[in-house]
């Protein structure tokens, strides 16, 4: 049984970060209830492993949420079916795609491979710093920087190909460094 | 990214974070979580609650009771499974790495996802959507990935009838792709979730088990660690280019997972015969069997499958999904494929 200090710490984490974790899940799932499930599972992991939760917990929580989300697909359709309240359901959660691609940017974003979308989304939507995003992905900061850099390049390329012109100055090249990530279809696994 | 583009991308956010922040936190979920024992599932029962809200407390109590009734935590496959896995680990261990110093490692897989769909009062139906994925990976980690969707596979005639009755809605997006990747982009990938890149995994079953358990422990509060470790091991095995040493360690690791049973000789989804080991679980709400099929003579993994153990109304069959490693080979260019 946790002591009152632990409970207080957990409640502080819950109060401060629940909305961000719910939003993270909601961006990737089609219904509030599904996102609530993922957020609840994420915080249950945090409660059970409270000693491992860092003082700045958001990136750690998002890492857990990513894992929970990848597991969620396996049971999701079944639970919904069993409870006879079905909605259009994809067994494997989609990643980071704006569901209403109403402009060129969203459409270009949607054409990116999932790992590119993920890198961009963690910065633009989850508002993580690159160091935090790297932690959420379980990779080194230089590796994330390179991944983000390549994602930006590919987004620009998609925008240019669709006739949208980005104003401003491109990023500095981050130079050679370790590595990208999984190929596009990796996200299609069961 | 320029600030303008970043700001524009924020505008494309599919949710409204400000609105979400104004919503009340679900107090009943917080109460249920705090009522949970901190380590109730750390060892990994193979049973799980099916939903967290609102029955979390009751479900966790059930898990705790079932965990107490399960065999001890020594963690071993059945003797028959352990023997088969130890033998194939020996076969792999006797092989030598043959990774190319030039050209490309080619692999061809089929991965079948399941869609389960229903709308309103329409009855649910399921369909498998297989994609053939070819990869060409150079020693420097550059290469090519080509994926082509292979149509759909109906688990049974009832599901196809239900789909037609629902107006033949689209069955997922067409997702064919053919992409080139720069140096390093393909050889630093983890097989699943946040697993380390496959080439960085140790060829030591105990250290592998530690890595898998650590990752499984933060993969979900409800997925048993042993089941998740089995899934991780099969995913890594099916990744092209895993070394014989790593294969041997993975087979040995599976031999150490409690609940793994020898299923015997079995055909994979494309008709090849191999030896199968499996683990059963109902953590997702329906009793399910995860199976790994391998060739005991070559140590090559052939496929993994996921099958229901009890009929369910939302699928007219038992096959929930599969991944097949069709072929691995060395080729000299990004356009080459093995002759056979």
């Amino acid at each position: 049984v946790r002591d009152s200090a632990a409970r207080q710490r957990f409640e502080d984490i819950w109060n401060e970060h629940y909305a961000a974790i719910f939003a993270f899940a909601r961006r990737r799932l089609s219904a509030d209830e599904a996102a609530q499930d993922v957020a609840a599972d994420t915080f249950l992991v945090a409660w059970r492993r409270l000693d491992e939760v860092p003082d700045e917990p958001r990136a750690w929580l998002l890492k857990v949420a990513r894992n929970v989300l990848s597991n969620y697909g396996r049971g999701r359709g079944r639970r919904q079916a069993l409870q006879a309240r079905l909605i259009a359901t994809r067994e494997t959660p989609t990643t980071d795609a704006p569901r209403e691609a109403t402009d060129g940017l969203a459409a270009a974003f949607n054409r990116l491979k999932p790992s590119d979308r993920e890198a961009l989304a963690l910065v633009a939507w989850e508002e993580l710093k690159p160091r935090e995003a790297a932690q959420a992905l379980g990779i080194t900061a230089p590796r994330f920087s390179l991944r983000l850099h390549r994602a930006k390049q590919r987004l620009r390329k998609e925008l240019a190909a669709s006739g949208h012109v980005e104003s401003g100055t491109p990023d500095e090249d981050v130079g050679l460094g370790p590595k990208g990530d999984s190929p596009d279809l990796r996200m299609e696994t069961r | 990214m320029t600030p303008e583009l970043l700001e524009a991308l924020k505008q494309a956010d599919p949710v409204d974070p400000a609105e979400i922040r104004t919503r009340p936190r679900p107090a009943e979920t917080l109460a249920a979580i705090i009522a949970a024992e901190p380590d109730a599932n750390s060892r990994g029962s193979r049973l799980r609650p099916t939903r967290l809200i609102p029955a979390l407390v009751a479900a966790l109590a059930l898990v705790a009771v079932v965990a107490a009734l399960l065999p001890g935590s020594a963690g071993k496959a059945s003797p028959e499974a352990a023997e088969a896995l130890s033998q194939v680990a020996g076969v792999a261990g006797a092989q030598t790495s043959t990774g190319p110093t030039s050209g490309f490692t080619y692999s061809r897989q089929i991965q079948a996802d399941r869609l389960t769909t229903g709308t309103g009062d329409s009855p649910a139906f399921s369909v498998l959507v297989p994609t053939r994925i070819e990869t060409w990976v150079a020693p420097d980690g550059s290469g090519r990935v080509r994926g082509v969707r292979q149509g759909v596979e109906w688990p049974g005639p009832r599901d196809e009838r239900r789909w037609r009755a629902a107006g033949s809605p689209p069955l997922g997006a067409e997702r064919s792709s053919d992409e080139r990747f720069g140096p390093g982009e393909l050889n630093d990938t983890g097989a699943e979730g946040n697993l380390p890149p496959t080439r960085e995994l140790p060829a030591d079953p105990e250290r592998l088990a530690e890595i898998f358990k650590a990752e499984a422990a933060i993969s979900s509060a409800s997925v048993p660690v042993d089941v998740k470790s089995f899934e991780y091991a099969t995913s890594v095995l099916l990744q092209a280019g895993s070394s014989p040493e790593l294969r041997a360690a993975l087979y040995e690791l599976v031999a150490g997972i409690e609940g793994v049973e020898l299923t015997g000789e079995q055909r994979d989804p494309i008709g090849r015969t191999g030896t199968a080991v499996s683990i059963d679980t109902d953590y997702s709400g329906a009793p399910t069997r995860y199976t790994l099929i391998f060739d005991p003579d070559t140590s090559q993994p052939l496929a993994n499958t996921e099958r229901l153990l009890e009929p369910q109304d939302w699928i007219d069959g038992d096959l929930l999904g599969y991944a097949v490693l069709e072929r691995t080979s060395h080729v000299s260019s990004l356009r080459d494929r093995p002759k056979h």
Side-chain angles (χ1 to χ4, degrees):
Chain A
V1 177
R2 301 275 190 199
D3 61 25
S4 58
R7 284 185 54 160
Q8 186 58 55
R9 180 177 181 233
F10 179 75
E11 289 188 23
D12 290 346
I13 293 170
W14 166 272
N15 288 327
E16 186 170 354
H17 297 284
Y18 180 85
I21 301 304
F22 172 83
F24 172 85
R26 186 64 181 82
R27 290 180 179 109
R28 293 152 177 85
L29 294 168
S30 57
D32 278 1
E33 191 173 47
Q36 286 166 0
D37 276 355
V38 169
D41 206 358
T42 299
F43 279 96
L44 182 55
V45 171
W47 171 241
R48 287 178 169 163
R49 311 189 76 81
L50 192 59
D51 294 343
E52 300 172 24
V53 179
D55 291 340
E56 296 289 336
R58 190 166 55 143
W60 188 93
L61 290 167
L62 286 169
K63 180 179 182 181
V64 175
R66 282 185 77 237
N67 278 343
V68 170
L69 198 60
S70 70
N71 279 311
Y72 186 74
R74 288 187 183 277
R76 178 180 169 210
R78 297 169 217 176
R79 287 196 295 271
Q80 289 182 334
L82 289 167
Q83 294 172 21
R85 48 174 183 73
L86 295 165
I87 55 174
T89 295
R90 186 69 208 263
E91 172 65 359
T92 302
T94 57
T95 56
D96 310 336
R99 287 186 299 280
E100 295 181 11
T102 54
D103 58 24
L105 177 60
F109 181 91
N110 280 336
R111 288 194 296 272
L112 297 176
K113 60 179 178 155
S115 56
D116 285 346
R117 293 203 299 265
E118 183 171 53
L120 292 166
L122 287 174
V123 173
W125 296 343
E126 267 69 56
E127 299 185 329
L128 296 182
K129 297 169 184 167
R131 172 183 53 79
E132 296 173 312
Q135 187 185 348
L137 294 174
I139 62 177
T140 63
R143 183 177 292 178
F144 178 78
S145 293
L146 184 65
R147 186 180 295 189
L148 180 63
H149 174 70
R150 286 171 169 159
K152 293 171 189 173
Q153 285 183 321
R154 284 191 267 260
L155 180 58
R156 286 195 196 96
K157 188 176 171 185
E158 288 290 343
L159 283 169
S162 59
H164 287 75
V165 179
E166 180 198 355
S167 61
T169 308
D171 288 341
E172 300 267 327
D173 194 324
V174 297
L176 295 177
K179 320 305 181 196
D181 55 359
S182 55
D184 189 4
L185 290 151
R186 182 64 46 76
M187 300 307 295
E188 291 289 295
T189 54
R190 285 174 281 135
Chain B
M1 186 181 296
T2 60
E4 294 85 355
L5 189 55
L6 179 60
E7 190 56 39
L9 194 55
K10 281 185 180 179
Q11 299 305 315
D13 192 337
V15 305
D16 181 353
E19 185 273 326
I20 286 174
R21 280 194 290 272
T22 65
R23 298 186 192 181
R25 279 57 164 164
E28 72 280 12
T29 303
L30 175 63
I33 290 172
I34 288 177
E37 286 296 315
D39 297 319
N41 198 37
S42 62
R43 211 182 56 190
S45 145
R46 286 186 299 283
L47 296 179
R48 60 160 282 175
T50 56
R51 274 186 60 79
L52 282 164
I53 310 169
L56 181 62
V57 176
L60 287 170
L62 174 63
V63 168
V65 169
V66 172
L69 296 174
L70 286 173
S73 61
K76 266 288 186 188
S78 71
E80 297 80 10
E83 182 180 355
L85 289 159
S86 294
Q87 285 179 357
V88 73
V91 172
Q95 298 167 344
T96 54
S97 298
T98 56
T101 55
S102 62
F104 299 85
T105 298
Y106 171 89
S107 78
R108 189 168 64 232
Q109 291 193 35
I110 299 175
Q111 295 182 354
D113 305 320
R114 176 174 58 85
L115 300 171
T116 295
T117 303
T119 52
D121 295 329
S122 300
F125 60 85
S126 297
V127 63
L128 292 177
V129 183
T131 301
R132 173 170 278 129
I133 302 169
E134 295 175 286
T135 60
W136 292 256
V137 184
D140 71 354
S142 65
R144 173 186 178 194
V145 178
R146 179 173 183 268
V148 179
R149 186 167 146 169
Q150 304 292 296
V152 298
E153 297 173 3
W154 292 103
R158 188 209 66 182
D159 280 339
E160 184 170 9
R161 285 197 302 272
R162 286 185 174 183
W163 172 68
R164 292 191 187 285
S168 304
L171 298 171
E174 291 291 341
R175 286 183 58 84
S176 295
S177 65
D178 192 348
E179 287 193 71
R180 308 295 173 102
F181 293 82
E185 286 197 275
L186 290 179
N187 67 356
D188 254 358
T189 62
E192 189 175 328
N194 288 317
L195 284 182
T198 297
R199 69 174 189 167
E200 294 176 10
L201 290 173
D204 176 332
E206 290 186 7
R207 289 175 58 205
L208 273 176
E210 288 173 8
I211 292 169
F212 289 178
K213 284 178 181 174
E215 195 61 34
I218 59 166
S219 68
S220 170
S222 50
V223 182
V225 169
D226 50 6
V227 173
K228 197 64 198 169
S229 293
F230 184 87
E231 291 182 35
Y232 284 151
T234 58
S235 293
V236 176
L237 275 167
L238 286 175
Q239 269 213 320
S242 62
S243 67
E245 296 85 357
L246 180 58
R247 272 205 305 280
L250 289 162
Y251 285 125
E252 287 182 30
L253 180 152
V254 175
I257 296 176
E258 183 183 350
V260 172
E261 299 282 348
L262 180 67
T263 318
E265 193 172 273
Q266 188 169 318
R267 289 188 184 277
D268 76 3
I270 59 172
R272 299 173 300 181
T273 301
T275 298
V277 293
S278 60
I279 189 167
D280 295 349
T281 179
D282 64 357
Y283 80 77
S284 63
T288 304
R289 172 166 294 171
Y290 296 98
T291 299
L292 167 67
I293 306 170
F294 56 87
D295 183 334
D297 298 324
T298 66
S299 83
Q300 285 296 324
L302 301 178
N304 65 48
T305 63
E306 183 182 351
R307 288 183 185 275
L308 282 173
L309 294 172
E310 295 175 1
Q312 303 290 336
D313 180 61
W314 42 269
I315 185 168
D316 184 19
D318 66 347
L319 186 58
L320 297 175
Y322 62 84
V324 170
L325 182 56
E326 278 192 301
R327 183 69 194 266
T328 61
S329 185
H330 296 153
V331 297
S332 57
S333 86
L334 285 174
R335 288 190 175 82
D336 289 344
R337 293 181 171 87
K339 301 299 180 193
H340 300 288

